[in-house]
Amino acid sequence: DTAVSQTPKYLVTQMGNDKSIKCEQNLGHDTMYWYKQDSKKFLKIMFSYNNKELIINETVPNRFSPKSPDKAHLNLHINSLELGDSAVYFCASSPGLEVTGELFFGEGSRLTVL
Amino acid sequence: GQNIDQPTEMTATEGAIVQINCTYQTSGFNGLFWYQQHAGEAPTFLSYNVLDGLEEKGRFSSFLSRSKGYSYLLLKELQMKDSASYLCAGMDSNYQLIWGAGTKLIIKP
């Protein structure tokens, strides 16, 4: 069983469309994250949730809206996609907010906006 | 501001030793992480240092000096499969991870 799974793995879409990426973790962790990794390979935190509650909301456009129906799921919805949104989006989880060990990453979702 | 610096790319020979350096500036400090990321894959955890000194884990060791804001990852007996990017990340006082851009390590036979 994959610890952190996200779907889809690849997503190709046109500018202006709306798309969602789903993430689920079966580790019983309280905290989940969305990261964006662009072509320069920087991992940038976008959002973090702790027990379904939004903790970190970095300066991302409000076209990006996370939703956490329960603490095992954190989905990312993107409205009105732009070319600059093309990147790999990683979901991750940790036991709690105070990360002192491993952060568990999903396999990534590669989004290409044409 | 908060910042993580590491070299963009390094090349080493199979069987040799390589040291990847990282300097960090964070608002407060709650530890330093190293992750390995193969092309097209997710980052995987290698090490976590919060106290000064060297932590050894098989062929990989990680060192931390808090007074110097400096860490390194040491890889011994390099294998071709070690070709990957190595990401350094510092944790600030809010337990937020600040990531470097990664060092791409190329291993040559």
Side-chain angles (χ1 to χ4, degrees):
Chain A
D1 266 353
T2 306
V4 181
S5 58
Q6 48 183 116
T7 55
K9 195 168 181 181
Y10 298 96
L11 193 51
V12 181
T13 189
Q14 301 287 328
M15 270 174 53
N17 284 349
D18 303 339
K19 290 293 175 188
S20 292
I21 309 172
K22 295 185 176 181
C23 179
E24 176 182 2
Q25 53 96 3
N26 62 7
L27 298 167
H29 288 170
D30 285 343
T31 309
M32 295 184 72
Y33 310 81
W34 275 110
Y35 280 90
K36 178 181 180 181
Q37 189 172 41
D38 59 24
S39 56
K40 293 183 180 176
K41 304 302 179 188
F42 275 105
L43 267 169
K44 294 179 186 173
I45 183 77
M46 299 175 72
F47 303 102
S48 75
Y49 270 73
N50 190 58
N51 272 319
K52 303 193 299 175
E53 188 180 328
L54 179 65
I55 303 299
I56 295 173
N57 182 358
E58 290 297 307
T59 51
V60 296
N62 57 14
R63 299 182 294 105
F64 290 79
S65 51
K67 277 194 174 53
S68 182
D70 55 61
K71 74 174 194 178
H73 296 84
L74 182 61
N75 304 323
L76 184 65
H77 187 76
I78 316 169
N79 289 328
S80 305
L81 279 157
E82 298 177 358
L83 292 177
D85 298 333
S86 295
V88 180
Y89 292 85
F90 286 101
C91 177
S93 74
S94 61
L97 280 174
E98 298 181 4
V99 179
T100 55
E102 186 174 352
L103 201 64
F104 292 79
F105 283 88
E107 292 183 327
S109 297
R110 181 176 292 275
L111 172 65
T112 303
V113 182
L114 303 175
Chain B
Q2 306 198 92
N3 195 48
I4 304 286
D5 278 320
Q6 53 182 130
T8 305
E9 189 174 294
M10 298 181 71
T11 303
T13 306
E14 192 177 13
I17 299 173
V18 73
Q19 178 175 311
I20 303 174
N21 296 324
C22 169
T23 57
Y24 64 88
Q25 279 181 304
T26 56
S27 303
F29 180 73
N30 276 308
L32 193 292
F33 291 80
W34 284 96
Y35 277 77
Q36 180 190 60
Q37 186 176 25
H38 285 101
E41 297 182 11
T44 55
F45 173 81
L46 289 177
S47 68
Y48 169 67
N49 294 64
V50 68
L51 298 176
D52 289 350
L54 187 69
E55 298 254 352
E56 297 186 67
K57 207 187 279 187
R59 293 189 299 113
F60 292 9
S61 303
S62 55
F63 172 84
L64 177 68
S65 168
R66 287 172 296 171
S67 61
K68 294 181 180 175
Y70 167 70
S71 173
Y72 67 73
L73 181 69
L74 191 71
L75 293 77
K76 300 178 187 174
E77 299 167 20
L78 283 168
Q79 301 175 8
M80 297 303 292
K81 68 178 182 179
D82 297 331
S83 292
S85 285
Y86 291 85
L87 308 175
C88 175
M91 184 177 293
D92 67 14
S93 57
N94 293 321
Y95 294 94
Q96 186 171 343
L97 282 171
I98 313 301
W99 294 83
T103 298
K104 184 178 179 181
L105 179 63
I106 300 167
I107 311 294
K108 295 187 173 176

